[in-house]
Amino acid sequence: MEKSLKIEGMTCAACAKAVERASKKLQGVTEANVNFATEKLKIDFDETKVSISDIQSAIEKAGYKALIESSTKTLKIEGMTCAACAKNIERVTKKLDGVMESNVNFATEKLNINYDSSKVRVSEIKKVIEKAGYKAIEEEAIVDTDKDRKEKEIQLLWKKFIVSLVFSVPLLVITMGHMFFEPFGFHLPDIIDPMKNPRNFGLIQLVLVIPVMIAGYKFFTIGFKSLFRRSPNMDSLIAMGTSAAFLYGIFAIVQIFLGNVDYAYDLYFESAAVIITLITLGKYLEAVTKGKTSEAIKKLMGLAPKTAIVIRNGKEVETPIEEVEVGDVLVVKPGEKMPVDGEVVEGTTSVDESMLTGESIPVEKNIGDRIIGASINKNGTIKYRATKVGKDTALAQIIKLVEDAQGSKAPIAKMADIISGYFVPVVISIAVLSALAWYFIGGETGIFALTIFISVLVIACPCALGLATPTAIMVGTGKGAEYGVLIKSGVALETAHKIKTIVFDKTGTITEGKPKVTDVVVTNNISQEDLLQLAASAEKGSEHPLGEAIVKGAEEKGLELKKLDFFKAIPGHGIEVKIDGKDILLGNRKLMIESNVSLENLEEISHKLAGDGKTPMYVSIGGKIGGIIAVADTVKENSKKAIEQLHKMGIEVAMITGDNKRTAEAIAKQVGIDRILAEVLPQDKANEVKKLQAEGKKVAMVGDGINDAPALAQADIGIAIGSGTDVAMESADIVLMRSDLMDVPTAIQLSKKTILNIKENLFWAFGYNTLGIPVAMGILYIFGGPLLNPIIAAAAMSFSSVSVLLNALRLKRFKPAK
């Protein structure tokens, strides 16, 4: 069983590793991956061996909180007469799979229910309440608990920062103001002058630092808990550093009161206060910036309307969208959004599907046509039957795909994960050893050693390492979704940039997949319109793709089809019909030869058409040749342009098809294919991909059909066309929602940009710590340079995380090359 849990209390990548470690220790847990950026744990486990509550308990023991992502709802209950009724409603609702908490307030007659919306729907909850003899009425919409929690967290961080700032600024002025202001004639009042009144000087600093320590209490509660559980995190570093500064300040005040007034210059309260203030500001900026990385998901979620007009008992009733059931008939008026997926049962209109396909031109919709939820009805009122609702709609599936991708890890993240797991204990060891070395070996004072200890602890930042990869993946996959490129995982995103060969399926991928009339060649005996009219009349009702193409070609030209007097199919050759008393033959060369019809000079034209990948069909009228109608599966508009773009990127392009070599070569010539794999049976497509991989190449397969699924799965990257089958899209790593081959180079360009961004993030994260920690240890001081002030270390530490996030956000400017 796979589950996603929201983790609270994580402050750095080391926390993520601690949660993973605690989860994996449980018997039955096969996989546990924490995304520090999204604060989510994706866990796969055997529910016969371990329960979700066991997992939550293990995580709580590690010092964090695991929440099942859920929705909350308040329902008004009618029919209750006593407290026993309330308990009964609680009991029946708790029995539903997916309901985590159910509380009825008898006095207010309200039910507050917490449930997993992927497992149970509000309508199901209402039904069990009604079966129990009561009535449940919806009072308010579903609350997005995660969004609310995030907003409250950001507001709380801002308040904490303001409180810290209000007390830190005067503290900093009192302790260090003389350095900046005394040259301009500013002096501290005698009452707090360290020389004249050292006791007041120390006590006022203590009074000012206490509110700051209280505002940053979470650093201490989480940090020391993690430390005592032997899973130290970033908060542990902050807690140890600021506690050391604060406690030393208390010791200094005691010494002052004992008469050692020189300690007035050794108070460290301002360092503790300013460190907490700067780290809180960094946390606030980090929370705000992390919110921006998931804007793609928020935009997608915002596309769906909140209500729908449903026909109930012959009347139009406005209903919350989560109450729409499969089979309901919905009414949508011009300008409104389609609430769910469905099929038109009445009316005609044009629909803007650009939110899903990227195509700005509205699509005509008639009875029987498919409707996509969240698309916009442009001009006509229609009624349509709901076929997919809730988590099954196309929009919900896209949101899930993007969420899964954003929550996944790329292989490049493994190195950062490993380092993050050991990082904090190593930093604590370095801080202790450095301080001891300066004190005992270097002969420096205790104050000097304390400065080294605090600076090393504070400057180290595992957050930057933990954020480097997931934030870039979040922005990259979100940006892909904006362009209709759905990348299913971090692995796919990383692998795509390594692709050296791309294999395209021909039919439905490079070509339209629907044959069209391309040429009508006539003799002097008949006009093009008349020949096409006769041929379409003969093929009327035909189920053969070539026959259907001829009929459609005539319909597009507005030609009226004639009635048949006689029809006879000649297997392997064509058909024989009689129209208006004329004997007509329609078929291949063999049919004409066997019927003794002279082909005159049309054979040469026929060979040329066949050489261009077209299928020529001869038409004879009354025993004389009338002409040739050529039908072909035409190349998609952007196929050639996409392949040219891939060539510019240094990628070899191959085409695989079951068609004969001559047709395949003709199509390949039109679009510039490098390598042709023709006459390949569907079951052999995967083997052809294997052969290419055996040459040492990273291979991507692009296809749209059921018969492409094995090859899509075999390839290093499977890319499915959005208009293709569900099986193909399920087997693929990347889905192109717009069915535009230009999105293939877009996916690879996006992969390259994202991986480059991740490498930049990792470089700065590693580089920052590689340079920052030695500086904090006093390396520059050995060569006559300055000693790093802990306050500067705190500012640098906060900036490192924010800089990584800001760098990831640069991906939002990505635009595919034209």
Side-chain angles (χ1 to χ4, degrees):
M1 182 180 182
E2 196 175 273
K3 197 76 182 172
S4 180
L5 299 175
K6 192 76 181 173
I7 307 298
E8 288 186 350
M10 291 196 301
T11 56
C12 65
C15 301
K17 295 304 292 181
V19 173
E20 287 180 357
R21 193 162 54 246
S23 306
K24 287 176 180 176
K25 283 180 181 177
L26 294 169
Q27 186 182 7
V29 173
T30 53
E31 191 177 349
N33 289 311
V34 175
N35 186 317
F36 175 54
T38 59
E39 298 179 351
K40 286 183 183 179
L41 162 66
K42 198 171 181 180
I43 190 161
D44 197 12
F45 61 97
D46 184 345
E47 55 187 335
T48 63
K49 294 181 180 178
V50 64
S51 69
I52 197 72
S53 58
D54 293 333
I55 295 166
Q56 287 176 296
S57 297
I59 292 168
E60 281 175 17
K61 281 181 183 177
Y64 310 94
K65 194 171 182 182
L67 303 172
I68 298 172
E69 292 194 295
S70 61
S71 300
T72 58
K73 177 76 76 175
T74 300
L75 298 174
K76 186 81 176 172
I77 306 297
E78 290 182 358
M80 289 193 301
T81 56
C82 66
C85 299
K87 297 304 288 180
N88 189 26
I89 291 167
E90 288 179 356
R91 189 172 63 253
V92 295
T93 49
K94 282 177 180 176
K95 285 180 181 178
L96 289 169
D97 183 31
V99 173
M100 288 161 281
E101 197 173 352
S102 179
N103 294 308
V104 176
N105 186 320
F106 177 62
T108 59
E109 296 184 335
K110 287 181 181 179
L111 161 68
N112 290 309
I113 194 160
N114 188 264
Y115 64 100
D116 184 342
S117 56
S118 67
K119 286 187 174 182
V120 64
R121 291 171 55 192
V122 178
S123 57
E124 293 169 336
I125 295 168
K126 285 183 178 179
K127 279 178 185 175
V128 297
I129 293 170
E130 285 171 7
K131 279 184 182 178
Y134 310 94
K135 191 174 182 182
I137 300 167
E138 191 166 341
E139 190 176 56
E140 57 183 324
I142 289 177
V143 178
D144 186 342
T145 52
D146 187 46
K147 183 182 175 185
D148 289 347
R149 185 180 66 81
K150 273 291 178 191
E151 287 176 354
K152 285 177 183 175
E153 181 187 322
I154 289 170
Q155 288 171 6
L156 183 61
L157 281 169
W158 179 249
K159 287 176 183 175
K160 285 182 175 182
F161 167 67
I162 293 299
V163 169
S164 300
L165 187 68
V166 165
F167 289 96
S168 294
V169 169
L171 180 57
L172 200 58
V173 170
I174 289 170
T175 56
M176 303 182 75
H178 62 280
M179 293 169 58
F180 303 103
F181 303 121
E182 277 191 1
F184 302 99
F186 171 81
H187 297 282
L188 287 171
D190 289 351
I191 195 169
I192 57 170
D193 189 287
M195 293 295 292
K196 297 174 182 176
N197 207 326
R199 291 184 178 185
N200 284 357
F201 182 71
L203 287 173
I204 287 173
Q205 287 188 52
L206 179 61
V207 169
L208 288 172
V209 80
I210 286 173
V212 182
M213 299 291 280
I214 293 170
Y217 80 95
K218 271 203 165 184
F219 292 125
F220 305 101
T221 55
I222 295 172
F224 284 120
K225 272 184 186 177
S226 301
L227 187 64
F228 297 146
R229 290 192 179 96
R230 290 183 295 180
S231 297
N233 56 24
M234 189 205 76
D235 283 345
S236 303
L237 301 179
I238 304 304
M240 289 174 68
T242 53
S243 295
F246 180 77
L247 292 173
Y248 186 83
I250 298 290
F251 168 76
I253 287 179
V254 171
Q255 290 297 318
I256 291 168
F257 273 83
L258 291 174
N260 298 324
V261 293
D262 288 343
Y263 276 92
Y265 292 101
D266 290 341
L267 296 168
Y268 250 90
F269 291 129
E270 83 284 354
S271 291
V274 176
I275 286 168
I276 288 172
T277 303
L278 289 171
I279 301 297
T280 304
L281 175 61
K283 285 283 181 189
Y284 168 77
L285 294 172
E286 191 178 304
V288 171
T289 316
K290 274 164 74 176
K292 290 181 180 178
T293 62
S294 57
E295 277 178 0
I297 287 285
K298 292 175 187 173
K299 284 180 185 175
L300 287 170
M301 287 178 169
L303 290 172
K306 301 292 181 283
T307 60
I309 304 295
V310 182
I311 296 177
R312 296 263 164 88
N313 301 320
K315 294 182 180 179
E316 293 182 8
V317 181
E318 187 170 358
T319 307
I321 191 154
E322 60 269 15
E323 294 302 310
V324 176
E325 305 278 353
V326 172
D328 282 347
V329 176
L330 291 78
V331 179
V332 185
K333 295 168 185 175
E336 294 179 348
K337 287 183 177 181
M338 306 293 182
V340 295
D341 294 0
E343 187 178 286
V344 179
V345 294
E346 186 180 313
T348 60
T349 187
S350 59
V351 176
D352 179 0
E353 295 180 345
S354 58
M355 46 68 65
L356 187 70
T357 64
E359 294 294 335
S360 57
I361 300 170
V363 181
E364 295 297 321
K365 298 290 181 181
N366 299 299
I367 293 172
D369 286 342
R370 178 189 173 205
I371 292 294
I372 302 170
S375 56
I376 302 169
N377 187 17
K378 297 297 286 184
N379 52 30
T381 298
I382 62 164
K383 292 180 181 178
Y384 76 95
R385 183 176 289 104
T387 56
K388 290 182 180 179
V389 299
K391 62 183 175 62
D392 297 322
T393 63
L395 180 63
Q397 292 295 315
I398 291 169
I399 290 171
K400 187 176 185 304
L401 268 178
V402 177
E403 281 183 330
D404 288 348
Q406 292 187 339
S408 66
K409 286 186 178 179
I412 197 171
K414 288 180 181 176
M415 179 174 60
D417 285 348
I418 292 167
I419 291 172
S420 296
Y422 296 102
F423 187 83
V424 176
V426 169
V427 168
I428 293 172
S429 301
I430 290 172
V432 172
L433 292 172
S434 300
L436 293 174
W438 278 109
Y439 186 74
F440 289 108
I441 301 172
E444 295 291 345
T445 64
I447 288 292
F448 187 96
L450 182 64
T451 302
I452 294 290
F453 178 72
I454 296 171
S455 295
V456 172
L457 290 178
V458 172
I459 201 167
C461 183
C463 286
L465 286 173
L467 292 168
T469 302
T471 48
I473 289 174
M474 285 175 73
V475 179
T477 50
K479 200 68 190 174
E482 285 181 32
Y483 286 104
V485 178
L486 299 183
I487 301 166
K488 289 186 178 180
S489 68
V491 175
L493 185 65
E494 180 173 342
T495 308
H497 86 286
K498 300 174 184 174
I499 294 300
K500 294 299 177 189
T501 300
I502 294 184
V503 181
F504 287 93
D505 175 51
K506 181 181 80 72
T507 308
T509 303
I510 291 176
T511 64
E512 295 287 355
K514 296 174 183 177
K516 288 183 178 180
V517 173
T518 56
D519 300 87
V520 179
V521 182
V522 296
T523 60
N524 295 327
N525 302 329
I526 192 169
S527 68
Q528 286 185 341
E529 287 77 11
D530 288 343
L531 185 71
L532 186 58
Q533 183 185 41
L534 287 173
S537 301
E539 290 283 7
K540 188 180 180 182
S542 171
E543 292 181 359
H544 194 284
L546 300 180
E548 287 178 359
I550 291 173
V551 172
K552 193 171 182 180
E555 287 174 348
E556 286 173 356
K557 289 184 177 292
L559 301 176
E560 188 178 341
L561 303 188
K562 297 186 175 186
K563 188 179 178 183
L564 297 180
D565 299 323
F566 170 79
F567 177 89
K568 179 186 176 184
I570 306 169
H573 290 69
I575 57 174
E576 180 184 348
V577 299
K578 186 172 277 191
I579 301 173
D580 294 339
K582 297 175 184 175
D583 291 321
I584 297 168
L585 291 172
L586 174 61
N588 56 25
R589 182 176 180 275
K590 282 183 182 178
L591 178 63
M592 298 298 138
I593 299 299
E594 288 179 9
S595 303
N596 297 316
V597 176
S598 173
L599 299 180
E600 300 176 6
N601 63 339
L602 292 182
E603 277 201 88
E604 190 178 332
I605 296 171
S606 174
H607 284 306
K608 185 179 182 302
L609 290 169
D612 291 337
K614 301 171 184 178
T615 304
M617 289 185 286
Y618 294 94
V619 183
S620 76
I621 305 162
K624 290 186 178 181
I625 191 69
I628 294 174
I629 296 177
V631 174
D633 184 4
T634 54
V635 170
K636 285 183 180 177
E637 183 183 353
N638 280 336
S639 292
K640 185 177 181 181
K641 191 177 176 184
I643 290 164
E644 285 175 353
Q645 190 67 43
L646 291 170
H647 282 151
K648 285 179 186 175
M649 295 162 68
I651 295 172
E652 178 191 29
V653 181
M655 181 179 73
I656 194 166
T657 179
D659 277 353
N660 62 70
K661 196 168 184 180
R662 191 173 182 183
T663 303
E665 284 174 346
I667 297 294
K669 189 178 178 182
Q670 285 184 56
V671 295
I673 295 288
D674 304 312
R675 196 164 178 172
I676 302 165
L677 305 169
E679 299 175 19
V680 179
L681 295 173
Q683 62 267 31
D684 292 332
K685 286 185 177 181
N687 289 330
E688 292 297 329
V689 171
K690 269 186 189 176
K691 288 176 187 175
L692 290 169
Q693 289 171 324
E695 296 174 18
K697 297 173 180 176
K698 286 281 184 184
V699 180
M701 170 74 193
V702 185
D704 72 325
I706 290 173
N707 59 15
D708 295 325
L712 289 169
Q714 173 62 42
D716 295 285
I717 290 290
I719 303 175
I721 301 294
S723 58
T725 65
D726 290 341
V727 178
M729 286 191 275
E730 193 65 36
S731 306
D733 303 293
I734 298 173
V735 179
L736 309 180
M737 295 307 297
R738 298 189 298 188
S739 303
D740 185 348
L741 290 195
M742 279 301 293
D743 290 338
V744 175
T746 295
I748 294 169
Q749 288 164 14
L750 182 60
S751 170
K752 287 183 176 179
K753 289 283 185 185
T754 305
I755 296 304
L756 177 63
N757 192 279
I758 289 172
K759 287 177 178 177
E760 288 170 350
N761 284 346
L762 289 172
F763 172 80
W764 289 114
F766 283 125
Y768 165 81
N769 285 298
T770 303
L771 294 173
I773 292 174
V775 170
M777 289 168 64
I779 296 297
L780 295 180
Y781 187 78
I782 293 172
F783 299 101
L787 188 65
L788 184 68
N789 189 302
I791 293 172
I792 304 300
M797 181 270 201
S798 296
F799 177 73
S800 69
S801 294
V802 176
S803 63
V804 163
L805 286 161
L806 291 173
N807 188 50
L809 286 174
R810 287 195 309 112
L811 277 171
K812 282 180 170 287
R813 293 183 291 185
F814 169 81
K815 287 183 181 178
K818 298 292 183 183

